[in-house]
Amino acid sequence: MPLIIDKKFIGMVSPMLEKFKWKKENLANFRCPMCGDSDKSKSKARGYFFAKGNDMFFCCHNCGASNTLYRFLEIISPALCKEYSLDRWKNGDNGNSNYTKPEFKFEKPVFRTDMGTARRLDTLEETHVCVAYAQGRKIPKSTYSRLYYVEDFDTWLKEIDPTTSDVPKDKRLIIPIFNAKGGLIGVQGRTIENHHLRYVTIKLDPNVERLWYGLEQQFDSETVYVVEGPLDSLFLPNCVAMVGINPLGNIPKAIRGKKIVFIVDNEPRNSAVVDQIHKLITANRDIVIWPETMIEKDINDMILSGMLPIQIVKIIDEHTCSGLEAKLKFNNWKKV
C-alpha cells in the first residue's frame, strides 16, 4: 500500500518535472529539478524515482542528490508534501516509515469572507468611474457582484491586512480571490487611473502555494478553462484564472479530476508567452493554440472586437490539443 501511495503522488508531481516518463513499473526518469541536469543539452534526464522495499526514493546521476520522496516533495511542492504525509499517516504507517508524520493543529484557520469598506460594483451608480471602467471593458453585469471598488487602495488594504505596505494610494477595481470555501485568501487591485502599477496582487494566506481565482464557483461542466487574468475569466463559463500561469503548479482540489484546458494569451512574438506554452506542452497539459486568423491578444480583446462568449468557447474547444499535436501546432503558431 505505501508503494501505491508513493506512485500516486509521483503522478501528481510529474507535471512539474521536465521529460518525465515511467521507464518500468517502479522506475521513473526526468530532468533533475535540483541541478537542472544540463544547460547545454535539454535532452539529458538524469533524475530518477526508484522503489526500495515499500517506498519510492529519488536520486540524480548528475548532481548526486538523493532523498526520500517526502523530502523531494517538501522541496518541490510543500502543499503536495503535506497531502502526501497525511495520506501515508491515514494508511497506518508506523514510526519507521519513510516520511514525516503530519503535525495536527486543531486551531481552525480564520479567513475573512467580507470586503470591509470596499463597495461592490453592482451597488454603485451607473455613472460611477469604476462602473464606467467595467462597462468600457464590456465586463458582464452579471459578474459585478464579484468585483469591488476602493477610493484608496493602501488604506483599504491595511484594513484587510495590517501587515501590508508599499502599495499605491489610488482608486482601484478590487478583485477578491477566495478559496473553494469562500475564505478570502488574496486580492488583486487594478488601477482605473494612469498609475504605472496596473495590477497589484496580494496573497493574504502564506500557506497558499499559488493563487487561483474563481475556485468558490459551482462548476457545471467536466471541462474547466484556465486563463491568465481574473477579468478574462469573467467572460467564459466554468472558467478560473491561475494568477500568473505556472504549468508546474499543483491543481487545486476544487477542480482536480476535471478536464483542465489552459488558455494563454495570443502573443506569438512575446518570448515569455512562448516559454509558458512550451512548458505547458512539456507538462502534457491541454492547451489552446490559437488559429492564425485570430489577431486579438486575449479574451477581453476578443469581446471588445465584437465576438460573443459562445463563439470564443467554440474556437477554444476546436483548438485545444496536447502532446505531439500541440507541439506541431505550437511550432507553426510561434512563427506567425
Side-chain angles (χ1 to χ4, degrees):
M1 186 66 167
L3 199 59
I4 293 173
I5 294 173
D6 282 13
K7 290 176 70 175
K8 166 188 164 185
F9 278 86
I10 287 173
M12 291 167 73
V13 79
S14 64
M16 305 183 190
L17 306 173
E18 290 186 65
K19 299 188 73 65
F20 178 92
K21 61 181 176 182
W22 286 100
K23 305 283 274 187
K24 296 179 182 178
E25 185 180 357
N26 294 327
L27 179 68
N29 175 231
F30 51 93
R31 283 174 64 81
C32 175
M34 309 298 181
C35 65
D37 245 306
S38 171
D39 289 330
K40 294 180 180 178
S41 175
K42 298 298 181 184
S43 63
K44 288 188 181 294
R46 292 172 284 191
Y48 290 88
F49 287 127
F50 64 95
K52 184 178 179 182
N54 285 324
D55 298 296
M56 295 294 289
F57 289 81
F58 158 74
C59 73
C60 174
H61 293 317
N62 182 47
C63 64
S66 178
N67 243 320
T68 63
L69 177 59
Y70 175 86
R71 295 298 176 196
F72 180 87
L73 293 175
E74 192 175 39
I75 296 167
I76 301 300
S77 176
L80 201 57
C81 180
K82 289 179 184 177
E83 201 175 323
Y84 168 72
S85 177
L86 186 59
D87 264 29
R88 289 290 300 254
W89 178 82
K90 284 180 180 177
N91 186 52
D93 293 344
N94 59 40
N96 298 318
S97 290
N98 195 18
Y99 77 103
T100 299
K101 288 184 178 180
E103 293 182 14
F104 293 101
K105 295 180 181 178
F106 294 100
E107 290 180 10
K108 241 182 160 181
V110 178
F111 297 109
R112 291 186 71 118
T113 55
D114 69 285
M115 292 294 290
T117 56
R119 300 173 64 193
R120 218 170 65 192
L121 239 63
D122 61 346
T123 67
L124 301 176
E125 56 275 14
E126 287 283 314
T127 55
H128 193 281
V129 62
C130 197
V131 174
Y133 171 80
Q135 290 173 339
R137 292 192 63 166
K138 292 191 176 180
I139 294 172
K141 282 191 176 182
S142 59
T143 67
Y144 281 14
S145 60
R146 297 174 62 185
L147 302 171
Y148 291 77
Y149 167 78
V150 294
E151 283 281 334
D152 182 332
F153 185 52
D154 178 66
T155 301
W156 173 78
L157 198 53
K158 284 185 172 64
E159 171 194 335
I160 298 296
D161 182 2
T163 65
T164 57
S165 60
D166 300 324
V167 297
K169 294 177 68 67
D170 60 357
K171 300 173 181 177
R172 295 228 164 204
L173 172 71
I174 301 299
I175 306 163
I177 301 171
F178 299 101
N179 60 23
K181 295 182 179 179
L184 185 66
I185 58 171
V187 295
Q188 189 174 80
R190 206 286 181 198
T191 184
I192 53 176
E193 299 178 326
N194 293 319
H195 197 284
H196 65 285
L197 288 173
R198 282 201 309 158
Y199 285 98
V200 176
T201 305
I202 304 292
K203 187 191 292 185
L204 300 176
D205 181 6
N207 295 315
V208 173
E209 191 172 19
R210 178 165 287 274
L211 292 174
W212 288 69
Y213 174 77
L215 296 180
E216 75 281 9
Q217 301 176 84
Q218 294 295 317
F219 300 100
D220 56 8
S221 170
E222 284 306 307
T223 298
V224 173
Y225 303 111
V226 179
V227 295
E228 294 187 58
L231 293 183
D232 273 349
S233 75
L234 300 177
F235 298 101
L236 303 179
N238 298 296
C239 190
V240 300
M242 194 177 187
V243 185
I245 280 187
N246 176 7
L248 306 185
N250 191 24
I251 300 296
K253 285 185 179 180
I255 57 173
R256 206 175 287 169
K258 302 279 189 181
K259 178 183 178 181
I260 312 295
V261 176
F262 286 86
I263 304 168
V264 184
D265 288 349
N266 184 30
E267 296 184 272
R269 291 182 180 85
N270 185 321
S271 59
V273 171
V274 169
D275 184 56
Q276 284 286 26
I277 295 179
H278 178 261
K279 287 180 179 177
L280 284 162
I281 293 171
T282 302
N284 204 32
R285 302 292 197 190
D286 285 305
I287 174 78
V288 174
I289 304 295
W290 296 106
E292 292 181 19
T293 53
M294 183 68 72
I295 60 172
E296 290 78 15
K297 179 179 76 72
D298 57 28
I299 304 296
N300 199 177
D301 281 352
M302 294 172 198
I303 294 292
L304 292 173
S305 73
M307 295 181 69
L308 298 174
I310 192 170
Q311 294 174 307
I312 298 172
V313 169
K314 187 173 185 292
I315 294 170
I316 287 170
D317 290 344
E318 288 175 349
H319 293 85
T320 295
C321 51
S322 62
L324 182 58
E325 181 188 4
K327 287 180 183 177
L328 294 171
K329 289 185 176 181
F330 170 62
N331 288 333
N332 289 327
W333 173 84
K334 68 181 182 180
K335 293 175 185 176
V336 175

